[in-house]
Amino acid sequence: MSRFALVTAEPDFDERVRLAAAGLPGTLQAFRADFLPSTIDDMFGQLVGEPLEVLVLGPDLPSSDVLNFAAAVDVRSPHVSVMYAADASPDLALAAMRSGVRDLVTPNADIDTLRVHLEQAATAASYRLSSASAVQPGAGENTSQGRGRVITVMSPKGGVGKTTIATNIAVGLAKNSPMSVVIVDLDLQFGDVASGLMMKPDRSIVDAVGGPMDSLSLKTYLVPHATKLYALCAPLNPADADRVSAEQVSELISRLASEFQYVVIDTSPGLGEHVLAALDQATDVVWVCGMDLPSIRGLKSGLEILNELDMLPEHRHVVVNMADRKSGITVQDIEATIGVPIDVILSRSKAMPLATNRGVPALQDGIRDATVKGLRKLVERFHPSWEERNRRQVHRRVVFQ
Ligand SMILES: Nc1ncnc2c1ncn2[C@@H]1O[C@H](COP(=O)(O)OP(=O)(O)OP(=O)(O)O)[C@@H](O)[C@H]1O
Ligand SMILES: [Mg+2]
């Protein structure tokens, strides 16, 4: 198969894509047609050469056919980046992203722009392919093959930075794995993932669990975000939280884990039934704790309870957030109290509340400070090969300067 495939009968677009691909490694196979084959096998069977990474669909193809075809590619070869050339209205853009189109480009984009898009799409495709093959049970996957990593961000106490950390993890992961990350707001009463990502969703988790939870139905409740992740938001009305049971949460997360490479879950404080249901499905738990005694003691009890219940996920990441040298508590004090090492320290930063108030996570904004650096380190821990590379020091001693 070719690295790039193109379907269009539009000569000008065809030529620009050919010239753009000519500057990149790998071959391009073009199909001169203003229609798509009825099955993807009809096309994939004709491809020769190296594995397909990017499928470019031209502006002259009927949009409804493009969406159906992209959805089929998404199911059959999810690593392939489908790029669609269209002057897309917001509605079409949304529908395209939902159906599995991974990149939209304007039909009159110049050669350099097209080359950048092709390169990014190819990088994302090869990353998805290598992540999928690198992920082995026990190295980040859940117990069965083909399930994504489920990362539950939690803390016994409120206001310690769970939502800030969950949204940044999701944004950070989506940079390397576009359209392969979903963030779920399980703080059902007072969730603020939507506001942290500046979204105004018209659908929520209540709608998602209220109907059939097959992959196509679920996708219609996910809201795409500019950073190429999806969000499943909390209901607008706190009273609706009662309409979601722990069993539904379990099933929802399990379904999402079979569709997405990463499911990031923000939770409400404490160990309520929804949080426990999320933990039960989790491959990873991110414990967030502040540098104050109530928060540290809460974490200690939380760890003990979950240990007794045998509910600690395989991968543990302890994060001290809003760290402050003037708090009178040291990292060593915290470790001695909770009995496990701290993995990441995020210092108190003026940029964080600003980012929250603007609805633009720090990792989206490109802010540079020590806290953002710490967030990047946290995100790296979820890369499929991280544990392999750090086998000897999964919980490396952190230094807080
Ligand atoms: N490292 C940090 N430095 C400074 N402020 C921070 C930091 N991390 C988070 N914050 C701020 O603290 C406030 C609370 O954060 P956040 O909403 O993420 O906490 P939470 O644990 O999700 O709260 P809740 O339990 O109410 O859901 C936000 O205004 C956020 O911007
Ligand atoms: Mg929160």
Side-chain angles (χ1 to χ4, degrees):
M1 288 193 196
S2 306
R3 189 176 184 215
F4 304 101
L6 165 69
V7 186
T8 188
E10 230 270 30
D12 185 43
F13 183 69
D14 177 285
E15 192 184 348
R16 275 178 288 126
V17 175
R18 283 172 193 269
L19 289 170
L24 298 170
T27 54
L28 176 127
Q29 194 168 339
F31 297 85
R32 270 286 170 105
D34 59 1
F35 61 91
L36 283 160
S38 47
T39 72
I40 54 172
D41 286 334
D42 291 346
M43 175 192 286
F44 282 28
Q46 292 185 53
L47 293 170
V48 289
E50 65 270 41
L52 179 68
E53 290 185 348
V54 186
L55 171 61
V56 186
L57 301 178
D60 47 336
L61 301 171
S63 60
S64 57
D65 292 359
V66 166
L67 303 199
N68 287 335
F69 204 78
V73 174
D74 197 32
V75 171
R76 152 84 196 270
S77 302
H79 69 279
V80 171
S81 297
V82 176
M83 186 192 294
Y84 179 27
D87 279 322
S89 64
D91 280 352
L92 178 59
L94 201 65
M97 282 170 83
R98 278 197 192 126
S99 71
V101 170
R102 297 194 185 249
D103 195 12
L104 284 164
V105 62
T106 55
N108 55 6
D110 60 28
I111 294 163
D112 287 342
T113 308
L114 286 169
R115 186 173 298 129
V116 170
H117 279 261
L118 286 176
E119 197 165 18
Q120 282 176 349
T123 306
S126 62
Y127 182 84
R128 278 194 296 275
L129 195 58
S130 64
S131 303
S133 49
V135 174
Q136 301 289 336
E141 278 288 283
N142 217 327
T143 44
S144 57
Q145 281 267 334
R147 284 171 56 86
R149 209 152 166 170
V150 177
I151 304 163
T152 300
V153 182
M154 57 183 295
S155 72
K157 298 281 173 183
V160 292
K162 291 180 295 301
T163 305
T164 307
I165 290 170
T167 48
N168 276 292
I169 290 175
V171 167
L173 290 173
K175 277 197 179 154
N176 274 334
S177 307
M179 313 319 287
S180 306
V181 180
V182 59
I183 181 165
V184 180
D185 195 344
L186 260 198
D187 187 352
L188 296 177
Q189 281 189 312
F190 303 109
D192 41 22
V193 165
S195 95
L197 292 172
M198 210 173 30
M199 299 173 113
K200 289 211 169 102
D202 51 0
R203 303 166 294 270
S204 81
I205 193 166
V206 176
D207 306 299
V209 300
M213 285 197 236
D214 59 276
S215 62
L216 267 183
S217 310
L218 271 184
K219 275 196 171 170
T220 61
Y221 301 113
L222 306 180
V223 186
H225 183 252
T227 55
K228 301 194 175 174
L229 58 81
Y230 290 97
L232 188 50
C233 299
L236 280 181
N237 183 351
D240 284 343
D242 292 343
R243 292 168 54 197
V244 182
S245 69
E247 291 72 33
Q248 286 172 322
V249 167
S250 266
E251 186 180 350
L252 172 74
I253 294 169
S254 170
R255 293 290 175 134
L256 291 173
S258 63
E259 292 291 322
F260 287 86
Q261 198 178 334
Y262 295 102
V263 182
V264 181
I265 305 170
D266 185 22
T267 61
S268 53
L271 296 175
E273 56 166 355
H274 296 122
V275 178
L276 291 181
L279 262 185
D280 202 29
Q281 298 286 327
T283 55
D284 294 72
V285 58
V286 177
W287 286 97
V288 187
C289 137
M291 246 182 168
D292 56 283
L293 270 183
S295 182
I296 297 162
R297 288 197 182 123
L299 176 52
K300 176 182 160 65
S301 326
L303 280 166
E304 283 169 358
I305 294 167
L306 292 183
N307 208 6
E308 271 167 34
L309 294 174
D310 198 17
M311 282 192 72
L312 284 174
E314 190 180 347
H315 305 276
R316 181 194 68 222
H317 316 266
V318 178
V319 179
V320 170
N321 189 28
M322 305 193 213
D324 190 340
R325 257 175 284 114
K326 293 181 199 136
S327 69
I329 295 175
T330 65
V331 169
Q332 289 70 27
D333 294 336
I334 303 177
E335 289 182 334
T337 307
I338 61 177
V340 295
I342 291 165
D343 297 305
V344 176
I345 298 187
L346 303 172
S347 41
R348 189 178 285 283
S349 150
K350 285 185 189 142
M352 292 299 132
L354 277 177
T356 301
N357 294 341
R358 288 178 56 219
V360 183
L363 283 187
Q364 178 183 352
D365 215 9
I367 294 169
R368 288 190 194 177
D369 72 5
T371 310
V372 173
K373 221 167 137 191
L375 284 168
R376 280 210 189 92
K377 274 195 183 156
L378 177 59
V379 172
E380 274 172 27
R381 295 177 68 90
F382 306 108
H383 189 279
S385 64
W386 189 89
E387 218 146 86
E388 196 60 32
R389 284 187 271 125
N390 295 274
R391 192 167 275 173
R392 294 225 191 111
Q393 278 185 295
V394 170
H395 300 290
R396 192 185 298 250
R397 182 161 292 279
V398 286
V399 182
F400 179 43
Q401 290 144 346

